[in-house]
Amino acid sequence: MNTLHYILCGALLLPAVGQADAADRSSDWQFHGFLTQGFVKTDHNRFFGPSDKGSFEFTEIGVNASTRPLPELLLSAQLLSRKAGAMYNGTPAIDFAVARWDFMDQDSYRAGLSLGRLKNPIGLYNSTRDVAHTRPSIFLPQSIYFDKVRNLEHSSDGIMLHLDRFGESQLLSLDMGLGQLLMDDNVEAAYLGQDWRGNLETDKISRIAQLRYATLDEQWRFALSYADGHMKFKPGPGDPLSAGKTQFRFIVGSVQYNTASWTLSAEYAREPLKQQGYGPLIDSKGTAESYYLQLQHYLNDSVTLHARYEEAFIDKDDHSGRKAAAAFGIPAYFRYTKSLTLGARWNITPSTMLSADYSFNRGTYLLSSQDNPNPANLRKNWNMFALLFSYRF
Amino acid sequence: MFSTWTQANRADQKKAFHPLLLMFALAVFLASAVYADADTVLIANPAIPEDTLTRSNARLLFSLRRTHWPDGRQAHVFVLKDDNPVHRAFVRQVLQLYPRQLRRVWDRQTYSGTGQAPETVTSPKEMKRKIATTPGSVGYLPKDMVDESVKLIEVH
């Protein structure tokens, strides 16, 4: 009985501890949330719903709560409803639910352990990717933050060790975790071409890590991120694929520089990917490669202009896609995306904002096959206009 | 006759209004200039033993990257809204950061489950009251509002 008994007693005591504390600190609990509605219009191809006709299928609603029952223990959780075209239907899901225990906290070192559904610390933006106020533009750069496999990249169920080294004027941090990535039909569509009758499941625990360096004057941020994934496919009746395995590693290098009126960001990623056992249709081995360069300019306290150029390639040794075109008889532009995005954002109040983006795109690699089920309809050149309103508290 | 009266009245109003409007505008301008230039200082609950903090430690406290004081007691951070002139002045002068940079750090923590955001109060008056009565608390005030109910901590 005993371990369970202690845990239960502990759980029952927690609110009491919180209450005793609340006598002099009324705000032990924190609640935050956000509500975002977007509109997307493309001339060709679909992004977040039937955008060729004009789509409102981009809604994000999230609420989170956190509390510190003990100085070294943080409990927090977020519920998120996300409608994103044919990719996500808005069913509320637990976005994260974390118990974080800082078991060592000294002058210049801190060590902590997190347990639960954890956000994967990838790049500059992954851990807050669904909060419009934290995004530099309406959509995150798809070259690094793939919305077509958002759940896979976003979080994992597991454990993570956090180490912080506080310097004179800088902070060095290392996160290292083990966890189970979140799988859904989008992952299957992205790696196996479509959502088959069979199922793609996680095969092994993933390793996730990020090394970060930041100056405390907030001028420089550097990060090196790593995650790997191991999945296996169980074919369903009639599926033309055999039982295969997909393995990837995702490595991202990030840098950001801030001045009074500018933020410059750049990220570069490589994704070695091996798919075997499926049959000639899918089996492959290669490395995807992508990067972006981004500039944000703060005109004043409420208006920001931004510009970004990005490129993403399925195969780093075939940027033009011609090799793949010759080998598989598919259009070369299925194999890459190059985009230029220009936009503006207006922070109407500290909690509300309005944003408008326009992007010029070439290639269809970063588009979701869930939103674009018929590849014959995909066009090489396409433009997108997007509007977004967001409120947060 | 009626129309003459209104015209005359309008002309009067115009004359009377202009200097007033100007004076009002000047007052607003001066007030905002005074506020923007007003010295802001870091304050804490009187029980906090520290007399000084390094700028780095002040930044770590206000960004909530560190949640306790150097002596180990839990810190409780109070701030005004992002667009409050006192907040802007403190963040610029004392922390030597921009409000949006602090907001970015808080957002990263709040929305990823790795930390929390500071508690927002609505006025410097409320800030003073809360700091005076909350153990471990830290915040800021225009220098001329500081009295013995709170402790002034120098940042260097």
Side-chain angles (χ1 to χ4, degrees):
Chain A
M1 93 168 217
N2 286 325
T3 318
L4 187 65
H5 184 78
Y6 281 123
I7 291 173
L8 281 176
C9 279
L12 288 173
L13 277 172
L14 281 184
V17 173
Q19 254 169 16
D21 223 20
D24 33 37
R25 303 221 354 259
S26 55
S27 55
D28 218 15
W29 280 89
Q30 282 195 4
F31 299 92
H32 293 278
F34 52 89
L35 195 158
T36 300
Q37 179 60 52
F39 169 76
V40 189
K41 176 78 180 84
T42 48
D43 55 354
H44 310 293
N45 305 336
R46 289 183 165 191
F47 193 66
F48 283 68
S51 57
D52 46 350
K53 299 180 185 78
S55 167
F56 285 97
E57 294 184 12
F58 178 28
T59 310
E60 296 163 314
I61 303 168
V63 284
N64 72 56
S66 63
T67 182
R68 254 183 215 288
L70 301 167
E72 57 277 10
L73 181 65
L74 174 72
L75 304 176
S76 60
Q78 180 161 291
L79 203 64
L80 177 73
S81 154
R82 191 165 180 275
K83 173 70 187 161
M87 300 179 284
Y88 299 99
N89 65 10
T91 307
I94 293 175
D95 196 42
F96 64 79
V98 191
R100 178 176 170 146
W101 174 46
D102 286 322
F103 58 85
M104 194 193 86
D105 202 339
Q106 291 175 354
D107 225 19
S108 53
Y109 289 95
R110 179 174 58 193
L113 204 59
S114 288
L115 195 71
R117 174 160 295 173
L118 313 172
K119 293 217 172 179
N120 297 329
I122 295 175
L124 299 170
Y125 299 110
N126 193 56
S127 63
T128 58
R129 61 186 292 156
D130 305 309
V131 189
H133 277 86
T134 70
R135 293 193 290 257
S137 48
I138 291 181
F139 298 102
L140 281 178
Q142 297 296 304
S143 49
I144 307 286
Y145 305 95
F146 311 98
D147 271 309
K148 64 177 185 172
V149 287
R150 180 249 176 212
N151 282 5
L152 181 72
E153 191 173 0
H154 175 263
S155 52
S156 50
D157 294 334
I159 188 164
M160 188 163 284
L161 178 71
H162 310 275
L163 301 170
D164 292 307
R165 166 90 171 83
F166 298 96
E168 194 57 40
S169 57
Q170 65 291 99
L171 172 59
L172 185 67
S173 308
L174 176 66
D175 293 339
M176 287 185 297
L178 295 172
Q180 177 120 8
L181 300 179
L182 304 188
M183 304 293 290
D184 59 25
D185 297 343
N186 293 299
V187 180
E188 204 174 311
Y191 286 101
L192 303 181
Q194 69 175 76
D195 177 15
W196 301 96
R197 293 183 72 179
N199 250 327
L200 188 65
E201 301 163 353
T202 51
D203 189 20
K204 276 193 251 171
I205 293 291
S206 287
R207 292 167 295 183
I208 301 141
Q210 186 176 54
L211 181 66
R212 288 185 301 276
Y213 174 90
T215 57
L216 295 180
D217 60 10
E218 305 295 332
Q219 237 176 38
W220 288 99
R221 287 173 70 200
F222 297 92
L224 196 60
S225 318
Y226 173 90
D228 57 28
H230 313 269
M231 305 176 274
K232 60 175 181 217
F233 178 69
K234 285 187 188 149
D239 284 345
L241 307 180
S242 345
K245 286 193 175 192
T246 296
Q247 288 178 298
F248 69 83
R249 282 174 290 151
F250 190 49
I251 304 136
V252 187
S254 317
V255 55
Q256 188 172 75
Y257 178 66
N258 287 288
T259 73
S261 51
W262 297 90
T263 297
L264 277 102
S265 313
E267 297 195 84
Y268 172 83
R270 276 194 177 191
E271 187 190 358
L273 171 71
K274 193 161 77 180
Q275 309 212 84
Q276 55 189 11
Y278 295 101
L281 216 60
I282 298 290
D283 283 2
S284 62
K285 198 179 163 200
T287 298
E289 184 179 43
S290 54
Y291 76 93
Y292 74 84
L293 296 169
Q294 175 182 282
L295 206 57
Q296 287 159 275
H297 178 48
Y298 310 101
L299 280 185
N300 51 46
D301 285 322
S302 55
V303 179
T304 308
L305 304 178
H306 50 264
R308 178 175 61 237
Y309 182 71
E310 60 195 306
E311 293 188 337
F313 310 99
I314 292 189
D315 183 353
K316 73 173 172 59
D317 299 319
D318 184 23
H319 278 194
S320 69
R322 284 198 202 102
K323 280 191 215 164
F328 311 121
I330 53 166
Y333 62 83
F334 282 12
R335 310 284 291 179
Y336 62 82
T337 296
K338 301 176 185 185
S339 300
L340 174 68
T341 303
L342 302 172
R345 166 170 161 176
W346 175 30
N347 294 318
I348 306 166
T349 69
S351 55
T352 50
M353 66 103 142
L354 195 63
S355 193
D357 279 9
Y358 196 89
S359 72
F360 308 87
N361 307 282
R362 178 167 293 173
T364 62
Y365 160 42
L366 295 177
L367 291 172
S368 162
S369 61
Q370 301 271 81
D371 269 331
N372 299 276
N374 185 357
N377 292 339
L378 286 171
R379 299 272 284 263
K380 179 180 179 180
N381 294 307
W382 55 287
N383 299 316
M384 175 169 78
F385 171 71
L387 269 177
L388 174 140
F389 173 81
S390 183
Y391 169 77
R392 66 148 168 215
F393 60 91
Chain B
M1 179 153 173
F2 183 73
S3 71
T4 325
W5 181 81
T6 33
Q7 267 169 12
N9 197 30
R10 250 189 226 146
D12 270 0
Q13 250 182 8
K14 231 178 176 177
K15 266 183 220 152
F17 211 60
H18 249 288
L20 264 180
L21 200 69
L22 260 173
M23 271 166 65
F24 179 70
L26 195 69
V28 167
F29 174 76
L30 281 176
S32 67
V34 165
Y35 242 138
D37 291 333
D39 272 345
T40 51
V41 287
L42 191 149
I43 55 159
N45 184 262
I48 294 294
E50 270 79 12
D51 297 314
T52 63
L53 269 180
T54 63
R55 181 158 291 118
S56 288
N57 276 330
R59 284 168 171 165
L60 287 170
L61 275 180
F62 276 90
S63 64
L64 272 80
R65 284 175 163 134
R66 292 227 102 160
T67 52
H68 62 73
W69 289 88
D71 71 350
R73 66 181 85 195
Q74 195 178 357
H76 192 85
V77 183
F78 289 101
V79 293
L80 293 161
K81 276 193 160 190
D82 284 8
D83 57 354
N84 186 297
V86 179
H87 177 74
R88 285 190 200 177
F90 172 75
V91 174
R92 289 294 300 121
Q93 293 165 0
V94 180
L95 300 182
Q96 296 183 2
L97 297 173
Y98 292 91
R100 67 167 173 276
Q101 294 173 319
L102 271 186
R103 174 58 62 187
R104 218 176 274 163
V105 179
W106 298 335
D107 280 348
R108 269 206 299 277
Q109 292 166 169
T110 314
Y111 294 111
S112 67
T114 57
Q116 288 185 305
E119 186 178 342
T120 308
V121 291
T122 52
S123 69
K125 236 180 170 172
E126 191 192 352
M127 169 90 77
K128 188 158 84 174
R129 203 173 57 238
K130 291 253 183 167
I131 302 263
T133 55
T134 311
S137 59
V138 58
Y140 47 79
L141 279 180
K143 199 171 184 176
D144 54 19
M145 276 184 70
V146 176
D147 58 32
E148 66 289 345
S149 70
V150 295
K151 177 164 186 181
L152 193 153
I153 294 182
E154 237 171 276
V155 176
H156 57 84

Short mmCIF file of all heavy atoms in Angstrom, two decimals, chain B residues 10-55:
data_model
loop_
_atom_site.label_atom_id
_atom_site.label_comp_id
_atom_site.label_asym_id
_atom_site.label_seq_id
_atom_site.Cartn_x
_atom_site.Cartn_y
_atom_site.Cartn_z
N ARG B 10 -19.28 80.75 -31.90
CA ARG B 10 -18.27 79.81 -32.37
C ARG B 10 -16.90 80.45 -32.39
O ARG B 10 -15.91 79.86 -31.96
CB ARG B 10 -18.63 79.33 -33.79
CG ARG B 10 -19.04 77.87 -33.77
CD ARG B 10 -19.18 77.34 -35.16
NE ARG B 10 -20.41 76.59 -35.26
CZ ARG B 10 -21.15 76.54 -36.35
NH1 ARG B 10 -20.83 77.28 -37.40
NH2 ARG B 10 -22.22 75.80 -36.38
N ALA B 11 -16.90 81.71 -32.88
CA ALA B 11 -15.62 82.42 -32.94
C ALA B 11 -15.05 82.58 -31.53
O ALA B 11 -13.86 82.34 -31.30
CB ALA B 11 -15.82 83.78 -33.58
N ASP B 12 -15.96 82.92 -30.59
CA ASP B 12 -15.54 83.05 -29.19
C ASP B 12 -14.93 81.76 -28.69
O ASP B 12 -13.86 81.73 -28.10
CB ASP B 12 -16.77 83.36 -28.30
CG ASP B 12 -16.97 84.86 -28.19
OD1 ASP B 12 -16.15 85.58 -28.80
OD2 ASP B 12 -17.92 85.27 -27.50
N GLN B 13 -15.72 80.69 -28.95
CA GLN B 13 -15.29 79.37 -28.47
C GLN B 13 -13.91 79.02 -29.01
O GLN B 13 -13.06 78.53 -28.31
CB GLN B 13 -16.28 78.32 -28.97
CG GLN B 13 -17.10 77.75 -27.84
CD GLN B 13 -18.02 76.68 -28.35
OE1 GLN B 13 -17.95 76.26 -29.49
NE2 GLN B 13 -18.91 76.25 -27.48
N LYS B 14 -13.75 79.33 -30.29
CA LYS B 14 -12.50 79.02 -30.95
C LYS B 14 -11.34 79.69 -30.22
O LYS B 14 -10.34 79.07 -29.89
CB LYS B 14 -12.55 79.49 -32.40
CG LYS B 14 -12.15 78.39 -33.39
CD LYS B 14 -12.27 78.89 -34.79
CE LYS B 14 -11.80 77.85 -35.79
NZ LYS B 14 -12.02 78.37 -37.15
N LYS B 15 -11.57 81.00 -29.94
CA LYS B 15 -10.54 81.78 -29.26
C LYS B 15 -10.26 81.19 -27.86
O LYS B 15 -9.14 80.99 -27.46
CB LYS B 15 -10.97 83.24 -29.13
CG LYS B 15 -10.47 84.11 -30.27
CD LYS B 15 -10.87 85.56 -30.04
CE LYS B 15 -11.31 86.21 -31.34
NZ LYS B 15 -12.27 87.29 -31.12
N ALA B 16 -11.40 80.95 -27.17
CA ALA B 16 -11.27 80.50 -25.79
C ALA B 16 -10.67 79.10 -25.72
O ALA B 16 -9.94 78.77 -24.80
CB ALA B 16 -12.63 80.52 -25.11
N PHE B 17 -11.00 78.29 -26.70
CA PHE B 17 -10.62 76.89 -26.67
C PHE B 17 -9.14 76.68 -26.92
O PHE B 17 -8.50 75.86 -26.30
CB PHE B 17 -11.46 76.16 -27.73
CG PHE B 17 -11.72 74.75 -27.35
CD1 PHE B 17 -12.41 74.47 -26.18
CD2 PHE B 17 -11.30 73.71 -28.15
CE1 PHE B 17 -12.66 73.16 -25.83
CE2 PHE B 17 -11.55 72.40 -27.78
CZ PHE B 17 -12.23 72.12 -26.63
N HIS B 18 -8.64 77.47 -27.85
CA HIS B 18 -7.29 77.23 -28.33
C HIS B 18 -6.23 77.25 -27.23
O HIS B 18 -5.50 76.27 -27.07
CB HIS B 18 -6.94 78.21 -29.44
CG HIS B 18 -6.82 77.51 -30.74
ND1 HIS B 18 -5.75 76.68 -31.01
CD2 HIS B 18 -7.61 77.48 -31.82
CE1 HIS B 18 -5.91 76.17 -32.22
NE2 HIS B 18 -7.04 76.64 -32.74
N PRO B 19 -6.15 78.35 -26.45
CA PRO B 19 -5.12 78.40 -25.40
C PRO B 19 -5.31 77.27 -24.38
O PRO B 19 -4.33 76.66 -23.95
CB PRO B 19 -5.34 79.76 -24.74
CG PRO B 19 -6.15 80.54 -25.70
CD PRO B 19 -6.94 79.58 -26.51
N LEU B 20 -6.58 76.97 -24.07
CA LEU B 20 -6.85 75.92 -23.11
C LEU B 20 -6.30 74.57 -23.60
O LEU B 20 -5.63 73.84 -22.88
CB LEU B 20 -8.36 75.78 -22.88
CG LEU B 20 -8.89 76.53 -21.67
CD1 LEU B 20 -10.39 76.31 -21.56
CD2 LEU B 20 -8.20 76.06 -20.40
N LEU B 21 -6.63 74.32 -24.87
CA LEU B 21 -6.21 73.06 -25.47
C LEU B 21 -4.68 72.97 -25.47
O LEU B 21 -4.09 71.94 -25.14
CB LEU B 21 -6.73 73.00 -26.91
CG LEU B 21 -6.80 71.59 -27.51
CD1 LEU B 21 -7.88 70.80 -26.80
CD2 LEU B 21 -7.07 71.67 -28.99
N LEU B 22 -4.09 74.10 -25.81
CA LEU B 22 -2.63 74.15 -25.84
C LEU B 22 -2.05 73.86 -24.47
O LEU B 22 -1.11 73.07 -24.32
CB LEU B 22 -2.18 75.54 -26.29
CG LEU B 22 -1.78 75.63 -27.76
CD1 LEU B 22 -1.51 77.08 -28.15
CD2 LEU B 22 -0.57 74.75 -28.03
N MET B 23 -2.67 74.53 -23.46
CA MET B 23 -2.16 74.34 -22.10
C MET B 23 -2.31 72.89 -21.66
O MET B 23 -1.41 72.31 -21.04
CB MET B 23 -2.91 75.27 -21.13
CG MET B 23 -2.25 76.64 -21.00
SD MET B 23 -3.33 77.81 -20.20
CE MET B 23 -3.48 77.11 -18.58
N PHE B 24 -3.48 72.32 -22.03
CA PHE B 24 -3.74 70.93 -21.68
C PHE B 24 -2.69 70.01 -22.32
O PHE B 24 -2.10 69.15 -21.66
CB PHE B 24 -5.15 70.54 -22.14
CG PHE B 24 -5.49 69.11 -21.85
CD1 PHE B 24 -5.70 68.69 -20.55
CD2 PHE B 24 -5.60 68.19 -22.88
CE1 PHE B 24 -6.01 67.36 -20.28
CE2 PHE B 24 -5.91 66.87 -22.61
CZ PHE B 24 -6.11 66.46 -21.31
N ALA B 25 -2.46 70.26 -23.60
CA ALA B 25 -1.49 69.44 -24.34
C ALA B 25 -0.11 69.56 -23.70
O ALA B 25 0.61 68.58 -23.52
CB ALA B 25 -1.44 69.88 -25.80
N LEU B 26 0.22 70.79 -23.33
CA LEU B 26 1.52 71.04 -22.71
C LEU B 26 1.62 70.29 -21.38
O LEU B 26 2.64 69.66 -21.08
CB LEU B 26 1.69 72.55 -22.48
CG LEU B 26 3.11 73.00 -22.18
CD1 LEU B 26 4.00 72.85 -23.41
CD2 LEU B 26 3.13 74.46 -21.70
N ALA B 27 0.52 70.35 -20.62
CA ALA B 27 0.51 69.67 -19.32
C ALA B 27 0.71 68.17 -19.50
O ALA B 27 1.51 67.54 -18.80
CB ALA B 27 -0.80 69.95 -18.60
N VAL B 28 -0.03 67.60 -20.47
CA VAL B 28 0.09 66.16 -20.74
C VAL B 28 1.52 65.83 -21.14
O VAL B 28 2.14 64.89 -20.65
CB VAL B 28 -0.89 65.72 -21.85
CG1 VAL B 28 -0.55 64.32 -22.34
CG2 VAL B 28 -2.31 65.78 -21.33
N PHE B 29 2.07 66.69 -22.01
CA PHE B 29 3.42 66.46 -22.49
C PHE B 29 4.42 66.50 -21.33
O PHE B 29 5.25 65.62 -21.18
CB PHE B 29 3.77 67.52 -23.54
CG PHE B 29 5.21 67.46 -23.98
CD1 PHE B 29 5.64 66.47 -24.85
CD2 PHE B 29 6.13 68.38 -23.51
CE1 PHE B 29 6.95 66.40 -25.25
CE2 PHE B 29 7.46 68.31 -23.89
CZ PHE B 29 7.87 67.33 -24.76
N LEU B 30 4.25 67.53 -20.50
CA LEU B 30 5.16 67.67 -19.38
C LEU B 30 5.03 66.50 -18.40
O LEU B 30 6.02 65.94 -17.96
CB LEU B 30 4.89 68.99 -18.63
CG LEU B 30 5.48 70.23 -19.30
CD1 LEU B 30 5.08 71.49 -18.54
CD2 LEU B 30 7.00 70.13 -19.36
N ALA B 31 3.76 66.14 -18.14
CA ALA B 31 3.52 65.04 -17.21
C ALA B 31 4.17 63.77 -17.73
O ALA B 31 4.83 63.04 -16.98
CB ALA B 31 2.02 64.84 -17.03
N SER B 32 3.99 63.52 -19.03
CA SER B 32 4.54 62.27 -19.57
C SER B 32 6.07 62.36 -19.57
O SER B 32 6.75 61.38 -19.31
CB SER B 32 4.00 62.00 -20.97
OG SER B 32 4.49 62.98 -21.85
N ALA B 33 6.59 63.55 -19.84
CA ALA B 33 8.05 63.70 -19.83
C ALA B 33 8.59 63.48 -18.42
O ALA B 33 9.59 62.79 -18.22
CB ALA B 33 8.42 65.09 -20.33
N VAL B 34 7.87 64.04 -17.44
CA VAL B 34 8.29 63.88 -16.05
C VAL B 34 8.26 62.40 -15.68
O VAL B 34 9.19 61.86 -15.11
CB VAL B 34 7.38 64.70 -15.12
CG1 VAL B 34 7.56 64.24 -13.67
CG2 VAL B 34 7.69 66.18 -15.25
N TYR B 35 7.16 61.73 -16.07
CA TYR B 35 7.02 60.32 -15.76
C TYR B 35 8.14 59.50 -16.39
O TYR B 35 8.78 58.70 -15.74
CB TYR B 35 5.67 59.79 -16.25
CG TYR B 35 4.80 59.28 -15.14
CD1 TYR B 35 3.44 59.56 -15.11
CD2 TYR B 35 5.34 58.54 -14.10
CE1 TYR B 35 2.64 59.10 -14.08
CE2 TYR B 35 4.56 58.08 -13.07
CZ TYR B 35 3.20 58.36 -13.07
OH TYR B 35 2.42 57.91 -12.06
N ALA B 36 8.38 59.79 -17.69
CA ALA B 36 9.36 59.00 -18.42
C ALA B 36 10.75 59.20 -17.81
O ALA B 36 11.56 58.28 -17.77
CB ALA B 36 9.36 59.40 -19.88
N ASP B 37 11.00 60.42 -17.32
CA ASP B 37 12.33 60.69 -16.79
C ASP B 37 12.41 60.45 -15.29
O ASP B 37 13.48 60.55 -14.72
CB ASP B 37 12.73 62.13 -17.10
CG ASP B 37 12.97 62.30 -18.60
OD1 ASP B 37 13.34 61.29 -19.25
OD2 ASP B 37 12.77 63.39 -19.10
N ALA B 38 11.24 60.22 -14.67
CA ALA B 38 11.23 60.05 -13.22
C ALA B 38 12.16 58.91 -12.84
O ALA B 38 12.20 57.87 -13.50
CB ALA B 38 9.82 59.75 -12.73
N ASP B 39 12.91 59.09 -11.78
CA ASP B 39 13.78 58.03 -11.30
C ASP B 39 12.93 56.93 -10.70
O ASP B 39 12.10 57.18 -9.83
CB ASP B 39 14.73 58.59 -10.23
CG ASP B 39 15.98 59.14 -10.88
OD1 ASP B 39 16.20 58.83 -12.08
OD2 ASP B 39 16.71 59.87 -10.21
N THR B 40 13.13 55.72 -11.18
CA THR B 40 12.45 54.58 -10.58
C THR B 40 13.49 53.77 -9.83
O THR B 40 14.66 53.75 -10.21
CB THR B 40 11.79 53.70 -11.65
OG1 THR B 40 12.76 53.40 -12.63
CG2 THR B 40 10.61 54.40 -12.29
N VAL B 41 13.03 53.15 -8.77
CA VAL B 41 13.97 52.37 -7.96
C VAL B 41 13.39 50.99 -7.67
O VAL B 41 12.17 50.80 -7.66
CB VAL B 41 14.29 53.08 -6.63
CG1 VAL B 41 15.18 54.28 -6.86
CG2 VAL B 41 13.02 53.46 -5.90
N LEU B 42 14.28 50.05 -7.43
CA LEU B 42 13.87 48.71 -7.07
C LEU B 42 13.55 48.69 -5.57
O LEU B 42 14.33 49.18 -4.76
CB LEU B 42 14.98 47.72 -7.40
CG LEU B 42 14.66 46.22 -7.34
CD1 LEU B 42 15.51 45.48 -8.36
CD2 LEU B 42 14.87 45.63 -5.97
N ILE B 43 12.40 48.14 -5.23
CA ILE B 43 12.03 48.06 -3.82
C ILE B 43 11.68 46.62 -3.46
O ILE B 43 11.36 45.81 -4.33
CB ILE B 43 10.82 48.96 -3.49
CG1 ILE B 43 9.65 48.63 -4.41
CG2 ILE B 43 11.19 50.44 -3.59
CD1 ILE B 43 8.32 49.08 -3.87
N ALA B 44 11.76 46.32 -2.17
CA ALA B 44 11.44 44.97 -1.71
C ALA B 44 10.75 45.06 -0.35
O ALA B 44 10.69 46.13 0.26
CB ALA B 44 12.72 44.15 -1.59
N ASN B 45 10.24 43.93 0.06
CA ASN B 45 9.63 43.83 1.39
C ASN B 45 10.70 44.18 2.44
O ASN B 45 11.84 43.79 2.31
CB ASN B 45 9.13 42.39 1.57
CG ASN B 45 8.39 42.21 2.87
OD1 ASN B 45 8.96 41.74 3.84
ND2 ASN B 45 7.13 42.59 2.89
N PRO B 46 10.30 44.91 3.49
CA PRO B 46 11.29 45.38 4.47
C PRO B 46 12.10 44.26 5.12
O PRO B 46 13.20 44.51 5.61
CB PRO B 46 10.44 46.10 5.51
CG PRO B 46 9.15 46.38 4.88
CD PRO B 46 8.95 45.39 3.79
N ALA B 47 11.58 43.02 5.13
CA ALA B 47 12.31 41.92 5.78
C ALA B 47 13.47 41.40 4.94
O ALA B 47 14.25 40.58 5.40
CB ALA B 47 11.34 40.79 6.09
N ILE B 48 13.56 41.84 3.69
CA ILE B 48 14.66 41.36 2.83
C ILE B 48 15.98 41.98 3.30
O ILE B 48 16.07 43.20 3.43
CB ILE B 48 14.38 41.73 1.36
CG1 ILE B 48 13.14 40.99 0.84
CG2 ILE B 48 15.60 41.46 0.46
CD1 ILE B 48 13.29 39.49 0.73
N PRO B 49 17.01 41.16 3.59
CA PRO B 49 18.25 41.70 4.15
C PRO B 49 19.13 42.45 3.14
O PRO B 49 19.91 43.30 3.54
CB PRO B 49 18.97 40.46 4.68
CG PRO B 49 18.40 39.31 3.92
CD PRO B 49 17.00 39.69 3.56
N GLU B 50 19.01 42.14 1.83
CA GLU B 50 19.90 42.74 0.84
C GLU B 50 19.76 44.26 0.77
O GLU B 50 18.65 44.79 0.81
CB GLU B 50 19.61 42.18 -0.57
CG GLU B 50 20.40 40.96 -0.94
CD GLU B 50 19.82 39.70 -0.31
OE1 GLU B 50 18.69 39.79 0.21
OE2 GLU B 50 20.50 38.66 -0.33
N ASP B 51 20.91 44.96 0.66
CA ASP B 51 20.88 46.39 0.41
C ASP B 51 21.17 46.71 -1.04
O ASP B 51 20.79 47.75 -1.56
CB ASP B 51 21.93 47.10 1.28
CG ASP B 51 21.63 46.94 2.76
OD1 ASP B 51 20.45 47.12 3.13
OD2 ASP B 51 22.55 46.60 3.53
N THR B 52 21.89 45.78 -1.69
CA THR B 52 22.22 45.98 -3.11
C THR B 52 22.00 44.67 -3.86
O THR B 52 21.97 43.59 -3.27
CB THR B 52 23.70 46.38 -3.30
OG1 THR B 52 24.51 45.29 -2.83
CG2 THR B 52 24.04 47.65 -2.54
N LEU B 53 21.82 44.80 -5.16
CA LEU B 53 21.72 43.66 -6.06
C LEU B 53 22.54 43.99 -7.30
O LEU B 53 22.58 45.15 -7.72
CB LEU B 53 20.27 43.46 -6.51
CG LEU B 53 19.31 42.56 -5.73
CD1 LEU B 53 17.95 42.58 -6.43
CD2 LEU B 53 19.81 41.13 -5.66
N THR B 54 23.17 43.00 -7.90
CA THR B 54 23.81 43.27 -9.19
C THR B 54 22.71 43.35 -10.23
O THR B 54 21.60 42.83 -10.04
CB THR B 54 24.77 42.13 -9.59
OG1 THR B 54 23.99 40.94 -9.75
CG2 THR B 54 25.84 41.92 -8.53
N ARG B 55 23.01 44.03 -11.34
CA ARG B 55 22.01 44.15 -12.40
C ARG B 55 21.61 42.77 -12.90
O ARG B 55 20.44 42.51 -13.16
CB ARG B 55 22.55 45.03 -13.54
CG ARG B 55 21.56 45.21 -14.67
CD ARG B 55 21.84 46.44 -15.51
NE ARG B 55 21.58 47.64 -14.75
CZ ARG B 55 22.50 48.57 -14.46
NH1 ARG B 55 23.73 48.41 -14.88
NH2 ARG B 55 22.20 49.63 -13.75
#
